[in-house]
Amino acid sequence: MTNSTYTAGEKDTLRASLDHHRDVVLWKLEGLDDEQLRRPMTPTGTSLLGLVKHLGSVEYGWFVSTFGGKVEPLWFDPYSSEDMRADQGETTQQIIEFYGRARAAADHVIAERSLTDLGQPAWRGEQVSLRWVLVHMIEETARHAGHMDIVRELIDGGTGDHRPE
C-alpha cells in the first residue's frame, strides 16, 4: 500500500484493503502447476483453484447481483459446493479469468455507488449497504486467503501474505 492509502477516505481505504487481499489470492497461485492448483488438501476437498472460483462467485453475488447488476451465466451452481471445487471440466485459465471478470464487475459497482447505497441480496430477507458489503467481502477474501496460505504451505512450504521484497 502506498502512503496515500493510510490517509485516504473511507471508501478508498476499504477498496485498498479488499484489493490487497484479492492480490494475495492470486499470488498464492503463482509458481504452481495445474495439478497442485487443483489438489484437494482437506477432507472436504479444499483446493487453491476451488477457493478462487468461490471468491469469483461471491464477488458477483454480493456486489453485482445485490446491487441490480448483470452476472455472467455461471457454469456451476453457486448455492452448492460446486463453487468451491475446480472439477466441473473448467480450466485453470477459465477460473482465473472468471475471478478477474468478477472483480472488474464488482469494482464497477463500487465506483458507481456510494457507501450508503442499499442493495437486496436474492438470498437474504434484508437490504445491505455497500459499506457493509465491502467490509463483508474484505472479511471473506481475507479468510479464504488465509485458507490458501495453509493449503499452499502444505503443497510446497510457501507462506506469507505478501510477496517478499
Side-chain angles (χ1 to χ4, degrees), residues 76-149:
F76 58 90
D77 179 359
Y79 300 105
S80 73
S81 62
E82 287 181 11
D83 83 327
M84 292 288 284
R85 297 190 327 260
D87 62 1
Q88 285 86 41
E90 61 269 287
T91 66
T92 295
Q93 182 176 350
Q94 180 184 3
I95 291 173
I96 292 170
E97 289 174 355
F98 168 70
Y99 184 54
R101 290 189 306 275
R103 283 179 63 168
D107 288 345
H108 179 76
V109 171
I110 295 166
E112 296 295 316
R113 303 261 180 181
S114 75
L115 291 175
T116 57
D117 282 356
L118 299 177
Q120 179 67 54
W123 59 94
R124 284 203 172 201
E126 57 193 317
Q127 291 186 319
V128 293
S129 69
L130 179 61
R131 176 184 290 106
W132 185 91
V133 171
L134 274 162
V135 170
H136 176 70
M137 284 304 300
I138 291 166
E139 295 168 340
E140 177 90 0
T141 306
R143 176 176 176 247
H144 290 310
H147 294 147
M148 293 177 79
D149 195 40

Side-chain angles (χ1 to χ4, degrees), residues 4 26 43 46 49 59 63 67 82 109 114 127 134 136 152 157:
S4 64
L26 292 175
T46 301
L49 208 51
E59 290 253 0
F63 286 113
F67 290 95
E82 287 181 11
V109 171
S114 75
Q127 291 186 319
L134 274 162
H136 176 70
R152 179 69 189 249

Side-chain angles (χ1 to χ4, degrees), residues 38-49:
R38 293 171 181 280
R39 186 185 303 165
M41 297 300 294
T42 68
T44 58
T46 301
S47 71
L48 292 171
L49 208 51

Side-chain angles (χ1 to χ4, degrees), residues 147-160:
H147 294 147
M148 293 177 79
D149 195 40
I150 293 167
V151 169
R152 179 69 189 249
E153 183 178 4
L154 292 170
I155 292 171
D156 72 351
T159 61

